[in-house]
């Protein structure tokens, strides 16, 4: 049965001679899942096969290097530069087609962005001209250990292209298209965006040539149009060919603008493109902009530009940029775009299209926009997802269920809920034991500070409920209870201990630990909190808990704009994920905030791309960010510390929040194991790993339990 909720999004569409079953495309992404020699192996095949099985209409397989290894931008990149790559590509297309999806190859040359090609093989960067000097250095947002792999790297040489080089590039794109067709792809997308080779010629910011490839747009677009025409000549009139273009160069004065992009779109259509994919690029030297162009933090960031380009062409237009199904359906219905190209949403849940088609949108695992996926690529790792631990590991398949049996899960945070729902899906009788009166654990507080986290919290709660898990709230897990349940295996996901580290003045009444803050904001209490708060605060907390108001995180977020039991000046000691999200939360509510961190750089626990954004925005909003601090001491109304230059500093503080000191706690796990049970520890009890660590640990524990009952043959 097909849902009528998304009549436009789920309707079929033709791109040239190709018909796709719905308007949902997997946007091309470099996921670093091909083999080191550029061939396509089981990792990439299984990754795309899962998307096809999940119901996507079109899959665009990302960054297939037409000149590989020249022009390579990342490890594990797919190559399409020689005929020897065709067999692996053919296996990919066959597996995708078996599930009814169409698949296109994205033809790619990294040009000025091919730093991996330089670092690995010493290749110069192909470019229209020597680029402008950098205006900044986004590596200032890297943690010290993330900088280590960059040590000793030399700046790459730049090769401004001569005519022979240009002719070679045109030939390589055409030959790549031929190989794609021979490998069974349904079409090709020519990548002329994101600062790559063709984009660098199009943009007046990077193209300062004065020959036939520089100057007016017709000249700057000449290479891209020559590539398009050569590809068309190679594959024939009936093979779908389209091109991906930037709608603008964010943060690059004199770069691509929407007016330029509209003119380019008309040239591209006239040259024979069957469709146009609209994206955006940015100044990579500015950290915040990495989440303000093709992978935006703001929902629907690119839709206005997509619609502006759709106005001037008659071929289908594909658009992307944090576009949800509801918004996409309305935009398609208004004729503002034809296909929504999803990235992060389909990494979080590749079955989103199928679930929409079946009328079950609530079952879609939500993306929390944490940038784990793209940050992993920046760090030279294969793609992964904080909420979908199967991403990049699809080739492992699902664990076998075996005979249903009783299994207990202790702890109702994300690790516990994910474990419980996975075990229930395998047919086991699962009891989830949680000592508090609600599921969620520290994810509830994390959801208060960062709203997208609430989506995965709600999804996990729903999944546990729908799976028929026996949930025991306000219950302590004891060996006696576990024996009564008849279990042998116990997953322990009880989280970390977040006490008060030894800081001079940490026992003062205006100083709160992370646990104090969590309890206060969520309507809970403790003896320590009673000692530190006044009667009104205690009464408000009690009323909020009694009425259920503090269970409604949206209501709490709104209410705290009006009143919070904190003074105007707040100092946060600890500049990792929790401290920075608290700083953002409090700054948005009018507090003057300083963050003091002993480590040399702030933001541990935040993935790079999100870290770059939050640190920039906190600074823009006047939050004091002090890394490399020492000798931190809390006084009655100040916090003193020695800064990273050796100067003694003092900042005013009405309240101090100590957002550090979290550490794993194995005490309960060890006690249960000592009582004779098979114990599997998940999440922060092992050491703080945040949502990603909890979700991945849950998947691994369930696989471990299944494997123990299904030993592999020697």
């Amino acid at each position: 049965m097909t849902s009528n909720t998304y009549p436009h999004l789920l309707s079929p569409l033709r791109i040239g001679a190709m018909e796709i079953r719905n308007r949902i495309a997997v946007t091309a992404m470099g996921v670093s899942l091909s083999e080191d020699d550029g061939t396509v192996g089981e990792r990439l095949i299984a990754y795309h096969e899962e998307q096809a099985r999940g119901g996507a209409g079109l899959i665009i397989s990302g960054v297939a290097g037409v000149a590989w290894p020249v022009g390579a931008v990342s490890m594990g990149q797919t190559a399409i530069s020689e005929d020897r790559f065709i067999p692996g590509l053919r296996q990919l297309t066959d597996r995708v087609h078996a599930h009814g999806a169409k698949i296109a190859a994205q033809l790619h040359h990294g040009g000025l962005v091919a730093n991996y090609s330089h670092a690995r093989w010493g290749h110069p960067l192909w470019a229209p001209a020597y680029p402008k000097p950098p205006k900044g250095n986004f590596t200032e947002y890297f943690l010290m250990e993330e900088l280590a792999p960059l040590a000793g790297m030399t700046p790459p040489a730049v090769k401004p292209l001569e005519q022979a080089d240009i002719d070679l590039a045109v030939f390589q794109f055409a030959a790549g298209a031929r190989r794609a067709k021979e490998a069974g792809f349904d079409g090709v997308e020519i990548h002329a965006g994101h600062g790559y080779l063709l984009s660098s010629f199009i943009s007046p910011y990077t193209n300062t040539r004065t020959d036939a490839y520089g100057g007016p747009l017709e000249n700057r677009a000449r290479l891209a149009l020559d590539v398009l025409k050569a590809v068309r000549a190679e594959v024939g009139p009936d093979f779908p060919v389209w091109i991906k273009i930037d709608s603008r160069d964010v943060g690059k004065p004199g770069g691509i603008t929407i007016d330029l992009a509209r003119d380019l779109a008309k040239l591209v259509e006239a040259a024979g493109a069957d469709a146009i994919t609209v994206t955006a690029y940015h100044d990579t030297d500015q950290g915040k902009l990495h989440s303000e162009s093709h992978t935006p933090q703001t929902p629907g960031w690119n839709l206005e530009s997509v619609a502006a380009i759709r106005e001037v062409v008659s071929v289908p237009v594909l658009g992307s940029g944090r576009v949800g199904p509801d918004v996409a359906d309305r935009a398609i219905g208004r004729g503002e775009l034809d296909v929504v190209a999803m990235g992060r949403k389909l990494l979080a849940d590749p079955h989103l299209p199928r679930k929409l088609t079946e009328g079950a949108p609530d079952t879609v695992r939500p993306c929390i926009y944490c940038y784990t996926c793209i940050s992993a690529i920046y760090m030279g790792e294969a793609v992964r997802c904080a909420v979908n631990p199967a991403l990049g590991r699809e080739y492992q398949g699902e664990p076998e269920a075996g005979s249903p049996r009783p299994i207990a899960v202790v702890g109702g945070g994300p690790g516990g809920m994910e474990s419980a729902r996975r075990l229930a899906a395998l047919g086991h009788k699962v009891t989830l034991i949680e000592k508090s009166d609600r599921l969620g654990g520290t994810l509830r507080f994390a959801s208060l500070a960062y709203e997208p986290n609430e989506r995965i919290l709600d999804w996990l709660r729903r999944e546990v409920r729908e799976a028929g898990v026996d949930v025991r709230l306000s219950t302590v897990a004891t060996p006696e209870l576990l024996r009564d349940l008849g279990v042998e295996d116990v997953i322990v996901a009880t989280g970390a201990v977040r006490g008060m580290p030894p800081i001079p003045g940490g026992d003062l009444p205006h100083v709160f630990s992370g646990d104090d803050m969590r309890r206060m904001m969520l309507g809970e209490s403790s003896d320590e909190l009673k000692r530190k708060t006044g009667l009104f605060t205690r009464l408000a907390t009690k009323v909020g808990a009694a009425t259920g108001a503090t269970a409604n995180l949206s209501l709490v977020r709104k209410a705290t704009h009006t009143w919070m039991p904190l003074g105007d000046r707040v100092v946060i000691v600890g500049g990792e994920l929790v401290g920075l999200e608290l700083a953002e939360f409090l700054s948005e509510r009018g507090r003057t905030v300083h963050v003091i961190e002993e480590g040399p750089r702030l933001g541990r626990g935040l993935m790079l791309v999100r870290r770059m954004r939050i640190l920039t925005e906190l600074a823009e909003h006047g939050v004091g960010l002090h890394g490399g601090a020492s000798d931190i001491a809390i006084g009655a109304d100040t916090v003193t510390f020695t800064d990273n230059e050796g100067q003694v500093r003092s900042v005013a503080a009405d309240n101090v929040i100590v957002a550090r000191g979290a550490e794993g706690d194995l005490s309960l796990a060890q006690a249960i194991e000592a009582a004779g049970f098979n114990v599997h520890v998940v999440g922060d009890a092992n050491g703080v790993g945040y949502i990603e660590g909890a979700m991945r640990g849950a998947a691994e524990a369930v696989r471990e339990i299944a494997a123990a009952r299904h030993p592999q043959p020697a």
Side-chain angles (χ1 to χ4, degrees):
M1 185 177 108
T2 300
S3 168
N4 293 321
T5 308
Y6 304 97
H8 308 294
L9 184 63
L10 298 179
S11 65
L13 175 74
R14 295 189 72 84
I15 298 177
M18 172 183 65
E19 181 169 311
I20 56 176
R21 58 189 173 189
N22 57 49
R23 310 292 186 95
I24 301 173
V26 178
T27 194
M29 292 173 280
V31 291
S32 296
L33 291 176
S34 286
E35 306 307 305
D36 189 59
D37 64 354
T39 57
V40 168
E42 184 60 25
R43 289 192 308 162
L44 187 72
I45 292 172
Y47 159 76
H48 281 314
E49 183 178 26
E50 190 66 18
Q51 294 163 343
R53 189 182 287 116
L58 172 65
I59 295 168
I60 309 172
S61 188
V63 290
V66 299
W68 189 96
V70 174
V73 292
S74 63
M75 59 158 279
Q77 184 175 335
T78 303
I80 201 167
S81 52
E82 299 178 40
D83 287 357
R84 66 186 174 93
F85 298 116
I86 294 175
L89 294 165
R90 166 59 77 175
Q91 291 181 49
L92 168 62
T93 61
D94 286 347
R95 294 266 288 275
V96 165
H97 288 151
H99 302 283
K102 298 295 195 299
I103 183 167
Q106 185 187 68
L107 305 180
H108 171 269
H109 190 304
L112 273 170
V113 190
N115 289 301
Y116 182 76
S117 177
H118 157 70
R120 177 80 180 272
W121 295 286
H123 299 142
L125 308 184
W126 286 36
Y130 289 108
K132 294 178 174 66
K135 292 182 290 187
N137 183 0
F138 81 95
T139 62
E140 67 187 53
Y141 297 98
F142 284 46
L143 302 176
M144 301 311 291
E145 62 267 28
E146 294 169 346
L147 286 171
L150 305 179
M153 283 185 60
T154 57
V158 174
K159 177 183 176 61
L161 301 195
E162 299 175 2
Q163 188 62 51
D165 304 315
I166 290 172
D167 293 342
L168 175 59
V170 172
F171 169 79
Q172 289 171 327
F173 273 96
R178 170 185 61 79
R179 295 184 188 104
K181 185 176 181 180
E182 290 180 14
F185 284 93
D186 300 291
V188 293
E189 176 179 88
I190 299 166
H191 204 328
H194 298 181
Y196 298 138
L197 182 63
L198 304 186
S199 169
S200 69
F201 270 78
I202 293 167
S203 175
Y205 188 84
T206 44
N207 186 348
T208 55
R209 298 172 74 107
T210 57
D211 63 0
Y213 294 91
L217 175 61
E218 291 75 10
N219 284 0
R220 297 197 316 277
R222 189 183 305 277
L223 175 56
L225 297 176
D226 285 351
V227 164
L228 175 57
K229 292 169 186 174
V231 165
R232 173 61 71 205
E234 188 69 36
V235 299
D238 297 326
F239 189 73
V241 176
W242 65 94
I243 193 164
K244 186 171 192 171
I245 64 171
D246 296 314
S247 62
R248 58 206 186 282
D249 276 333
V250 181
K252 293 183 176 182
I256 295 171
T257 64
I258 186 59
D259 290 336
L260 185 155
R262 281 159 60 99
D263 290 340
L264 175 62
K266 289 184 279 189
L267 293 176
V268 163
E269 180 180 23
D274 292 307
I276 297 171
T277 301
V278 178
T279 184
Y281 195 50
H282 58 276
D283 179 2
T284 57
D285 297 329
Q286 301 182 55
K288 178 180 175 179
L289 299 186
H290 287 258
S291 53
E292 206 159 310
S293 66
H294 50 69
T295 315
Q297 175 69 19
T298 303
W301 178 254
N302 289 316
L303 282 183
E304 184 178 345
S305 296
V306 174
I309 289 173
R310 184 67 186 84
E311 285 179 349
V312 299
V313 296
S314 58
V315 294
V317 171
L318 294 76
S320 63
R322 197 170 171 177
V323 184
D326 294 334
V327 173
D329 190 76
R330 291 193 294 270
I332 293 170
R334 293 192 297 262
E336 295 171 353
L337 79 162
D338 299 282
V339 176
V340 60
M342 294 183 179
R344 291 168 287 177
K345 286 181 175 62
L346 295 179
L347 299 182
D349 193 341
H351 286 256
L352 179 152
R354 175 184 62 78
K355 292 174 179 179
L356 297 186
T357 302
E358 293 174 353
D362 290 345
T363 66
V364 175
R365 183 193 292 110
C367 172
I368 59 172
Y369 305 102
C370 61
Y371 291 94
T372 295
C373 48
I374 190 170
S375 296
I377 305 303
Y378 279 32
M379 293 291 103
E381 303 168 3
V383 71
R384 64 181 197 271
C385 176
V387 300
N388 177 15
L391 179 67
R393 302 184 180 193
E394 294 84 358
Y395 65 92
Q396 293 178 341
E398 291 296 323
E400 295 183 48
S403 302
R405 61 189 189 279
I407 300 176
V409 177
V410 181
M417 289 189 285
E418 178 72 356
S419 298
R421 75 164 199 92
R422 283 179 174 271
L423 289 167
L426 294 176
H428 300 299
K429 182 181 178 182
V430 184
T431 304
L432 176 57
I433 303 167
E434 165 56 39
K435 68 178 181 179
S436 76
D437 61 352
R438 296 186 191 123
L439 292 178
T442 56
L443 181 55
R444 292 178 59 227
F445 188 53
S447 300
L448 182 63
Y450 180 62
E451 183 272 334
N453 286 340
E454 189 176 2
R455 302 173 198 181
I456 194 66
L457 171 62
D458 290 343
W459 181 82
L460 284 167
R461 286 171 166 167
R462 182 194 179 285
E463 287 287 301
V464 166
R465 182 175 65 250
E466 294 298 316
V469 172
D470 178 9
V471 177
R472 310 255 182 120
L473 298 175
S474 304
T475 303
V476 176
T478 63
E480 293 73 23
L481 173 59
L482 297 173
R483 290 191 190 99
D484 288 345
L485 294 173
V487 304
E488 296 178 14
D489 289 287
V490 181
I491 290 179
V492 176
T494 46
V497 174
R498 291 171 169 82
M500 179 69 73
I503 299 175
D507 59 346
L508 291 171
H510 67 298
V511 181
F512 298 114
S513 70
D515 273 354
D516 291 335
M517 280 296 297
R518 175 178 60 80
R519 291 190 179 103
M520 186 162 54
M521 301 306 294
L522 296 176
E524 301 170 1
S525 187
S526 70
D527 291 340
E528 183 70 3
L529 199 56
K530 289 175 183 175
R531 181 178 75 84
K532 295 180 177 182
T533 54
L535 177 62
F536 181 77
T537 297
R538 294 199 298 273
L539 182 61
T541 298
K542 190 172 183 179
V543 170
T547 61
T550 49
N552 185 331
L553 298 182
S554 177
L555 180 61
V556 173
R557 276 192 293 271
K558 291 176 183 175
T560 51
H561 280 278
T562 304
W563 178 81
M564 276 192 302
L566 293 172
D568 292 333
R569 303 169 301 179
V570 180
V571 171
I572 298 171
V573 178
E576 298 187 2
L577 180 150
V578 174
L580 293 183
E581 287 190 343
L582 267 174
E584 184 177 47
F585 181 80
L586 295 172
S587 175
E588 289 173 351
R589 285 152 180 80
R591 268 45 178 191
T592 298
V593 182
H594 286 267
V595 180
I596 302 172
E597 164 61 33
E598 290 184 329
R601 298 199 172 187
L602 286 73
R604 186 178 302 278
L606 287 161
M607 296 307 292
L608 175 62
V609 174
R610 184 153 174 257
R611 186 192 313 149
M612 290 192 288
R613 185 175 193 90
I614 193 171
L615 286 172
T616 303
E617 291 188 337
L618 287 174
E620 289 172 350
H621 295 155
V623 173
L625 301 172
H626 311 281
S630 59
D631 303 322
I632 303 169
I634 303 169
D637 54 9
T638 61
V639 176
T640 60
F641 62 97
T642 302
D643 68 18
N644 59 1
E645 296 180 349
Q647 300 297 311
V648 176
R649 301 278 305 277
S650 177
V651 292
D654 298 314
N655 286 103
V656 179
I657 301 168
V658 180
R660 72 177 208 206
E663 55 185 24
D665 180 12
L666 296 174
S667 56
L668 181 59
Q670 290 167 347
I672 293 173
E673 189 171 41
F677 297 93
N678 300 323
V679 173
H680 311 264
V681 182
V682 163
D684 287 354
N686 270 323
V688 178
Y690 305 105
I691 293 174
E692 180 184 3
M695 301 292 276
R696 188 171 301 283
E700 290 171 352
V702 171
R703 186 175 292 277
E704 214 174 81
I705 290 171
R709 300 287 174 144
H710 292 86
Q712 297 299 312

